[in-house]
């Protein structure tokens, strides 16, 4: 499950960007389905922030929050933002819920996993979920993609061999990608390894299901302390006519962040900026380039110049969905 009891999700900039992109994506899907008829299932955490936003933006009025921590469950009762969220009488983990739930109603489910050591268990849950989903169901998976979480051998200057073996020990044969190399557990390549493991878990869930296929919609990585990868997919009937109908009605291919394959991962990390810096940058958009803005600033926005350049380029692309935070005095 999540570790949402201690993380202020509503103040995490990159997660907020990713959440706003998710809402944009669901609005596109609304041309193909009626998203307000769906049941939203997710990890609400103590503040149920995602639930409030999805209800406000998409008019979803049947929602189920999954939480296994007793104290967070009690906090949810206190912080309940809207009355249509069902938090259950008792805490329940996601694996137990997926096993008992029938997914009879149209379902939108977000499994937002944060604990890296439970990766194989998480993939088991995903496979079980896929085996039960129905055409037009939507699912989103978030996994911890920080290779540091694999640990290291402090007697060796190179942590990669230890991390590779740790990853292999965590994953069963069904989920472990083939032909892994030591460089696959570096910061840049580890998200792609997890995406392959996720694809294998989905294929396990599809075993014996000739009636459905999975259409990838978007895959992002971001970093709010820990690097995370998030994948969104749609269940479609397993025939070309229905697939073509989906693309025709949704017009999803016109969305600039659509990626309908298993190979593309977009980095959506953006710079941390002061109010004055952000206003300076936005005044030069949408036509200003990363290099032009950096030259006018006279400095780069971060501690590492290469990373700062990538993040500024990301901001230029995603600035419309980056939230504003400010101090409020009472």
């Amino acid at each position: 499950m999540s570790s949402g009891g201690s993380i202020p999700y509503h103040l995490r900039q990159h997660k907020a960007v990713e959440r706003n992109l998710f809402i944009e994506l669901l609005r596109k899907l609304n041309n193909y389905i009626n998203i307000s008829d769906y049941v939203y299932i997710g990890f609400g955490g103590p503040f149920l922030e995602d639930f409030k936003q999805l209800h406000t933006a998409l008019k979803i009025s049947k929602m189920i929050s999954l939480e296994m921590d007793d104290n967070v469950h009690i906090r949810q009762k206190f912080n309940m933002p809207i009355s249509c969220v069902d938090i259950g009488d008792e805490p329940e983990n996601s694996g137990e819920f997926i096993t008992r739930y029938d997914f009879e109603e149209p379902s939108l489910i977000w499994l937002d996993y944060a604990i890296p050591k439970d990766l194989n268990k998480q993939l088991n849950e995903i496979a079980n979920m896929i085996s039960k989903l129905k055409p037009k169901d939507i699912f989103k998976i978030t996994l911890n993609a920080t290779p540091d979480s694999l640990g290291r051998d402090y007697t060796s200057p190179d942590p990669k061999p230890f991390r590779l073996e740790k990853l292999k020990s965590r994953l069963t044969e069904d989920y472990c990608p083939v032909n892994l190399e030591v460089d696959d557990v570096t910061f840049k390549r580890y998200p792609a390894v997890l995406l392959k493991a996720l694809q294998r878990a989905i294929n396990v869930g599809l075993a014996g299901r000739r009636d459905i296929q999975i259409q990838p919609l978007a895959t992002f990585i971001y970093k709010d302390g820990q690097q995370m990868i998030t994948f969104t997919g749609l269940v479609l009937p397993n025939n070309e006519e229905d697939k073509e109908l989906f693309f025709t009605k949704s017009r999803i291919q016109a969305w600039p962040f659509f990626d309908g394959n298993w190979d593309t991962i977009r980095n959506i990390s953006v710079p941390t900026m002061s109010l004055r810096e952000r206003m300076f940058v936005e005044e030069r958009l949408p036509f200003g380039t990363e290099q032009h803005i950096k030259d006018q600033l006279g400095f780069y926005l971060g501690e590492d110049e290469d990373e700062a350049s990538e993040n500024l380029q990301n901001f230029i692309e995603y600035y419309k969905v980056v939230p504003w935070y400010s101090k409020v005095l009472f």
Side-chain angles (χ1 to χ4, degrees):
M1 186 74 67
S2 69
S3 56
S6 60
I7 301 174
Y9 284 104
H10 59 302
L11 296 179
R12 290 170 58 181
Q13 174 176 246
H14 297 134
K15 190 175 183 71
V17 171
E18 200 278 333
R19 184 195 292 121
N20 289 339
L21 288 170
F22 185 43
I23 290 173
E24 271 196 16
L25 170 58
L26 293 174
R27 283 184 170 134
K28 294 294 182 184
L29 297 184
N30 215 21
N31 296 318
Y32 172 66
I33 54 174
N34 188 353
I35 199 73
S36 63
D37 291 339
Y38 275 55
V39 180
Y40 173 65
I41 304 159
F43 299 168
F47 312 118
L48 298 160
E49 184 70 21
D50 295 329
F51 288 73
K52 183 178 180 180
Q53 290 202 17
L54 287 170
H55 170 73
T56 301
L58 301 164
K59 301 180 181 179
I60 300 174
S61 58
K62 187 166 184 179
M63 314 181 102
I64 301 172
S65 174
L66 308 180
E67 182 54 59
M68 67 179 182
D69 184 275
D70 287 324
N71 189 64
V72 174
H73 190 254
I74 295 170
R75 290 184 72 185
Q76 288 180 331
K77 295 178 183 178
F78 182 85
N79 291 316
M80 184 67 65
I82 44 177
S83 63
C84 59
V85 181
D86 178 5
I87 64 171
D89 295 328
E90 300 292 336
E92 181 179 33
N93 67 48
S94 50
E96 293 168 341
F97 174 85
I98 290 169
T99 297
R100 72 165 178 82
Y101 193 69
D102 57 18
F103 293 95
E104 281 298 322
E105 297 180 86
S107 299
L108 165 61
I109 183 167
W110 181 1
L111 299 176
D112 187 1
Y113 296 116
I115 303 174
K117 66 181 179 62
D118 292 339
L119 177 60
N120 203 78
K121 177 184 175 184
Q122 294 158 4
L123 295 174
N124 277 331
E125 292 180 10
I126 293 164
N128 188 19
M129 176 191 69
I130 293 294
S131 73
K132 304 177 77 172
L133 294 181
K134 296 175 175 59
K136 299 186 179 181
D137 284 345
I138 307 158
F139 66 95
K140 178 177 174 181
I141 309 295
T142 302
L143 298 171
N144 189 308
T146 306
D148 292 359
S149 65
L150 295 168
R152 65 175 300 158
D153 176 4
Y154 287 96
T155 65
S156 171
D158 185 1
K160 295 194 296 291
F162 178 90
R163 289 174 180 171
L164 179 60
E165 293 307 311
K166 174 64 73 172
L167 176 62
K168 289 179 178 179
S169 71
R170 284 183 178 174
L171 295 177
T172 60
E173 184 178 353
D174 285 339
Y175 306 140
C176 189
V178 297
N179 301 322
L180 289 177
E181 304 173 353
V182 291
D183 286 338
D184 286 328
V185 290
T186 57
F187 198 79
K188 285 192 175 294
R189 288 172 58 170
Y190 189 45
V193 172
L194 291 182
L195 185 59
K196 290 177 183 176
L198 174 60
Q199 184 180 14
R200 291 173 72 93
I202 289 171
N203 288 337
V204 169
L206 288 173
R209 292 289 305 270
R210 295 174 181 250
D211 60 317
I212 60 172
Q213 60 181 313
I214 303 302
Q215 175 59 56
L217 300 174
T219 306
F220 301 115
I221 57 170
Y222 63 87
K223 184 171 64 173
D224 282 317
Q226 299 282 298
Q227 178 172 254
M228 310 297 287
I229 181 170
T230 184
F231 170 88
T232 305
L234 172 68
V235 182
L236 288 174
N238 194 19
N239 62 74
E240 286 305 309
E241 292 80 9
D242 279 289
K243 189 172 183 177
E244 290 176 8
L245 179 64
F246 159 66
F247 282 110
T248 300
K249 293 187 71 174
S250 69
R251 302 191 296 276
I252 190 67
Q253 288 166 304
W255 190 50
F257 312 116
F258 167 72
D259 292 304
N261 56 62
W262 291 93
D263 302 320
T264 305
I265 304 175
R266 294 176 183 262
N267 185 348
I268 58 172
S269 294
V270 296
T272 299
M273 294 182 282
S274 69
L275 178 62
R276 186 173 182 180
E277 288 170 343
R278 178 164 177 175
M279 292 178 66
F280 182 94
V281 173
E282 289 201 356
E283 285 170 0
R284 286 149 181 81
L285 299 180
F287 304 112
T289 65
E290 178 270 327
Q291 187 62 54
H292 178 69
I293 291 172
K294 187 171 69 173
D295 289 346
Q296 287 196 317
L297 276 170
F299 54 86
Y300 53 89
L301 297 166
E303 298 179 3
D304 176 88
E305 186 168 5
D306 290 338
E307 182 180 43
S309 293
E310 181 181 6
N311 287 352
L312 179 55
Q313 185 59 52
N314 290 342
F315 182 83
I316 292 170
E317 187 169 4
Y318 302 113
Y319 72 96
K320 293 179 181 179
V321 294
V322 178
W324 285 87
Y325 294 122
S326 61
K327 183 182 294 184
V328 178
L329 300 177
F330 293 94

